[in-house]
């Protein structure tokens, strides 16, 4: 287990029991070190099979460490973070987000919000120091429940984002699968007058990666769009911090476009987004743009710096998760800052925009005239294999040979991975996942077909190169 781009992750079997307690104790020590003494810690979880037991382990560890765990049950991550922030309290979310069912993770929040890289380092150090002496299991303790109260507070927040009846006349599908947002998303959309069709609910856990939506999922959604004559299909990943939006033609409305629509909806002055987001998102839209490494801690760090100058600060990632770095004004009301990824605000911002403008989602995409992007991943690609490949490609000649089928490399951005701009203007971005054994490729080109072709070819070359290197080492 280790910290990645968002929380600590690992196999569920490796995390359950003493290890989850150990990381929670490391978190408790960090809370005390920053002055948060024996307060409440709100605990939530997603719907994967391993999450209830791990959440119980975490709450037991918190109680043993002198804190007061509040069991918020299955709840969206942004709802948990919002409720904790309202109480100036810490929080802990058990979720593996978009990764497979056999894996899980824990996200930690201090009283000021998501922990940062310094906090991660301190927790990791505590885990190492305690590994041989941490007692398990702790003495059983009771804890209070906070599920309904936390959900109600978040429902009040999101139902104030649009005017009453703002989505009247829209026919929307909600792909529920196994997201913890399944019921709340339906309730919220109906509260704004939308005609909502519930589709695709599952009893088994379905990992949905909004940056790499499978062709099987898209085919299924296209069938629903045609069958029910839908204006859009919306959903979220397991813990509801990443939105999924599919247009009236069954085409993916990419996460960075969702983020752009939300920034315009909020009239942002500054946008903070990772280097993986569409390169066409620039100052021409009326806001300044700050680029970061991939991962919410880096976006939050960028938002903190940008907020010093004042104005409305919005962060988003290529997965569509939007972070509100400052208070904003929507629907004549103050929407308080929530510097953690949220799927509800961006879904409502996108749908509210097209409803008020009388446009379709595909129309909205076309008005921006941005480069066309595609992304995909190699799953079960060992972390060390990714590192070895990236070390090899760090040599510019080796990178040029690797990318030779796509033309000549003009320049390379090494902010996070290797983002090569070709002399043709096309972009090919290679990077290992920060939180799973996966290798990702992002591409920009003149058409979706070309961008998808680049991604497919580049990942195939990455797999072949890794296999050849392994064979040569034997």
């Amino acid at each position: 287990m280790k910290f990645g781009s968002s929380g600590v992750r690992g196999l569920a079997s490796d995390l359950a029991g003493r290890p989850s307690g150990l990381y929670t104790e490391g978190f408790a020590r960090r809370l005390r070190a920053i002055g948060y003494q024996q307060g409440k810690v709100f605990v939530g979880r997603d719907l994967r099979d391993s999450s209830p037991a791990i959440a119980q382990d975490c709450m037991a560890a918190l109680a043993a460490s002198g804190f007061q765990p509040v069991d918020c049950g299955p709840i969206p991550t942004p709802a948990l973070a919002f409720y904790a922030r309202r109480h100036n309290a810490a929080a802990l979310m058990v979720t593996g987000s978009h990764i497979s069912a056999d894996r899980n993770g824990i996200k930690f929040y201090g009283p000021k919000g998501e922990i940062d890289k310094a906090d991660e380092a301190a927790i990791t150090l505590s885990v190492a120091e305690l590994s041989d002496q941490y007692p398990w299991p702790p003495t059983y303790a009771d804890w209070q429940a906070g599920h309904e109260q936390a959900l109600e507070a978040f429902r009040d927040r999101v139902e104030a984002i649009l005017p009453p009846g703002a989505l009247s006349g829209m026919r929307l599908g909600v792909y529920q699968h196994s997201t913890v947002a399944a019921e709340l998303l339906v309730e919220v959309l109906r509260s704004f007058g939308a005609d909502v069709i519930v589709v695709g609910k599952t009893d088994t856990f379905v990992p949905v990666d909004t940056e790499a939506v499978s062709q099987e999922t898209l085919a299924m959604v296209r069938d629903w769009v045609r069958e029910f004559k839908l204006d859009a299909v919306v959903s979220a990943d397991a813990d509801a911090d990443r939105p999924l939006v599919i247009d009236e033609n069954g085409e993916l409305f990419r996460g960075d476009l969702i983020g752009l629509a939300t920034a315009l909806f909020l009239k942002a002055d500054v946008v903070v987004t990772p280097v993986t987001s569409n390169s066409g998102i620039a100052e021409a839209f009326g806001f300044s743009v700050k680029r970061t490494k991939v991962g919410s801690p880096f976006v939050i760090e960028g938002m903190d710096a940008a907020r010093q100058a004042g104005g409305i600060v919005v962060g988003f990632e290529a997965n569509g998760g939007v972070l509100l770095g400052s208070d904003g004004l929507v629907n004549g009301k103050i929407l308080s800052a929530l510097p953690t990824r949220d799927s509800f605000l961006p879904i409502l911002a996108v749908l509210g925009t097209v409803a008020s403008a009388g446009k379709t989602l595909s129309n909205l995409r076309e008005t921006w005239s941005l480069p066309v992007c595609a992304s995909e991943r190699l799953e079960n690609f060992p972390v060390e294999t990714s590192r070895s490949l990236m070390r090899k490609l760090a040599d510019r000649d080796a990178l040029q040979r690797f990318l030779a089928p796509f033309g000549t490399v003009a320049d390379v951005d090494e902010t996070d991975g290797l983002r090569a701009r070709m002399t043709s203007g096309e972009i090919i971005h290679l990077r290992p996942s920060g939180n799973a054994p996966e290798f990702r490729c992002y591409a920009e080109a003149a058409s979706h077909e070309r961008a998808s072709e680049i991604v497919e070819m580049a990942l195939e070359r990455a797999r072949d190169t890794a296999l050849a290197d392994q064979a040569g080492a034997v």
Side-chain angles (χ1 to χ4, degrees), residues 74-97:
I75 189 171
T77 291
L80 179 75
F82 173 70
Y83 195 56
R85 188 177 175 87
R86 255 177 72 164
H87 288 80
N88 196 30
L92 180 157
M93 180 73 181
V94 178
T95 178
S97 188

Side-chain angles (χ1 to χ4, degrees), residues 1 13-24 106 136:
M1 297 171 303
S13 56
D14 290 341
L15 186 58
R18 187 175 183 273
S20 58
L22 187 57
Y23 270 93
T24 302
I106 306 172
W136 190 262

Side-chain angles (χ1 to χ4, degrees), residues 171-189:
R171 190 170 173 84
L172 304 173
V174 172
Y175 173 31
Q176 292 193 311
H177 61 91
S178 51
T179 176
V180 76
E183 305 302 331
L184 183 58
L185 193 50
V186 172
E187 290 176 26
V188 168
L189 295 176

Side-chain angles (χ1 to χ4, degrees), residues 92-179:
L92 180 157
M93 180 73 181
V94 178
T95 178
S97 188
H98 62 283
I99 60 180
S100 58
D102 64 330
R103 307 181 74 83
N104 213 326
I106 306 172
K107 296 178 180 179
F108 300 102
Y109 293 80
K112 294 183 179 179
E114 256 186 72
I115 64 171
D116 59 23
K117 290 299 177 182
D119 296 322
E120 289 179 4
I123 293 170
T124 300
L125 180 61
S126 290
V127 168
E129 292 173 345
L130 288 167
S131 59
D132 295 329
Q133 54 184 322
Y134 181 64
W136 190 262
T139 304
Y140 178 81
D142 289 320
W143 36 78
Q144 70 183 87
H147 177 71
E148 293 303 323
Q149 299 92 322
L151 270 184
E152 187 60 33
F154 190 65
R155 185 184 290 110
D156 289 345
R157 172 186 174 85
V158 297
E159 289 184 351
I161 290 173
L162 297 176
L167 304 182
S168 295
M170 294 195 78
R171 190 170 173 84
L172 304 173
V174 172
Y175 173 31
Q176 292 193 311
H177 61 91
S178 51
T179 176

